[in-house]
Amino acid sequence: MKVASIQLEIKAHESKEQRVERASAMVDKAAQDADLILLPEIWATGYFSFDKYVEEAETIDGPLVRLFSEKARQHGVYLFAGSFVELKDGKYYNTSILFDREGKLVGTYAKTHLFRYGSQEGELLTAGEGAKVFDTEFGKVGLTTCYDLRFPELYRQQVDLGAELLLVTSAWPHQRLEHWKLFNATRALENQCFLISCNCVGTTRNVLLGGHSSIVDPWGVTVASGGEHETIVKAEIDPTEVQRIRDVFPSLKHRVL
């Protein structure tokens, strides 16, 4: 399968509408040679634009979801359209969305671990309910978001639910870039899964974002990675490698605790 992770730049002068239009065009470009496309975390609003969360929140049947459902259907690709601020039953969530080739919403995931270090996310949003794994033609896919990477138990729960491919949407700051690289490789290696992440670049609310979106194999080897500028990170992977590696080196079967 061919994977494309859209490392989108968050530009301070852009409106939500302008950024959605630009991201949509990048999806069109990536779809020319991809089976699965990813976008970053709360990219339309900008993760650190906490003052806009309520104003720019949408429902799960709102225009953002409808647009990227149509993009997936139009191009015949799986599309992990990153996350957005979802309004649901009077509460707000950091919700990521995955569409199949027909534009059907395969699954949603509300971020479990809300970031509170120099962030208002934990004050404004409601946490999700834990591990989510969904069936796709590539195998079982687990969805997580940014700060989740620091909590290995969430990923192990996904593996217990059958996850073979881990998708991570993020707005990880450059200040902790080495942590980002470490967690991308470690979560893939310890769970013997492919991990594909999509991180933002640019500066938003004086926070420099880290980029380095990555595609990591089940041995923890980075197959492809972006730098610190807007780009589309691409690689071709073989999902059947997950089971082969688990058979060759069955560490998951050797768990004691």
Side-chain angles (χ1 to χ4, degrees):
M1 61 180 290
K2 295 180 179 180
V3 177
S5 182
I6 297 176
Q7 186 167 280
L8 186 71
E9 180 180 357
I10 306 302
K11 299 178 180 180
H13 66 274
E14 280 185 320
S15 67
K16 177 181 177 180
E17 291 72 23
Q18 289 172 323
R19 194 172 296 126
V20 168
E21 182 177 353
R22 192 162 58 84
S24 178
M26 291 187 73
V27 168
D28 292 339
K29 180 180 179 181
Q32 297 172 17
D33 189 33
D35 299 296
L36 169 66
I37 299 171
L38 290 80
L39 281 164
E41 178 185 19
I42 309 188
W43 57 268
T45 295
Y47 174 83
F48 287 94
S49 298
F50 303 114
D51 56 311
K52 294 183 178 181
Y53 273 24
V54 172
E55 173 190 349
E56 296 189 354
E58 298 188 21
T59 60
I60 199 64
D61 58 353
L64 189 75
V65 173
R66 292 199 303 271
L67 172 63
F68 287 94
S69 167
E70 174 57 25
K71 285 292 175 183
R73 187 204 64 78
Q74 173 189 347
H75 295 296
V77 297
Y78 273 79
L79 176 58
F80 182 45
S83 69
F84 70 105
V85 180
E86 180 191 8
L87 172 60
K88 181 180 179 182
D89 299 329
K91 296 181 179 180
Y92 298 89
Y93 300 85
N94 184 341
T95 301
S96 57
I97 45 180
L98 175 65
F99 302 98
D100 68 12
R101 295 185 189 272
E102 296 178 352
K104 176 184 176 183
L105 188 60
V106 174
T108 67
Y109 166 73
K111 188 177 182 181
T112 302
H113 300 96
L114 302 180
F115 193 46
R116 292 174 169 85
Y117 180 77
S119 168
Q120 297 176 44
E121 183 181 29
E123 302 168 19
L124 299 171
L125 305 186
T126 299
E129 298 179 350
K132 294 288 186 72
V133 171
F134 303 98
D135 290 317
T136 73
E137 68 182 67
F138 315 116
K140 291 185 178 294
V141 173
L143 308 182
T144 55
T145 307
C146 200
Y147 193 43
D148 284 333
L149 277 170
R150 291 187 180 272
F151 302 90
E153 60 273 18
L154 178 62
Y155 293 86
R156 189 48 55 92
Q157 288 178 12
Q158 290 185 327
V159 167
D160 288 342
L161 292 171
E164 300 159 295
L165 184 65
L166 306 173
L167 305 184
V168 184
T169 185
S170 191
W172 196 283
H174 189 279
Q175 182 182 10
R176 293 176 290 279
L177 179 58
E178 292 308 312
H179 297 184
W180 165 260
K181 294 177 181 177
L182 173 65
F183 292 137
N184 271 255
T186 303
R187 296 293 90 90
L189 174 62
E190 68 192 2
N191 294 297
Q192 298 186 304
C193 291
F194 279 101
L195 184 146
I196 305 167
S197 63
C198 189
N199 196 26
C200 303
V201 292
T203 301
T204 174
R205 294 296 196 268
N206 297 316
V207 177
L208 178 63
L209 299 163
H212 290 82
S213 304
S214 298
I215 301 168
V216 187
D217 75 13
W219 288 119
V221 176
T222 299
V223 177
S225 179
E228 298 177 9
H229 301 284
E230 183 171 274
T231 188
I232 301 175
V233 180
K234 295 183 177 182
E236 187 167 358
I237 64 173
D238 180 359
T240 64
E241 279 291 285
V242 172
Q243 191 56 55
R244 187 189 71 80
I245 290 170
R246 289 177 178 179
D247 289 340
V248 169
F249 195 87
S251 59
L252 291 173
K253 293 181 179 179
H254 298 160
R255 292 161 59 190
V256 176
L257 299 180

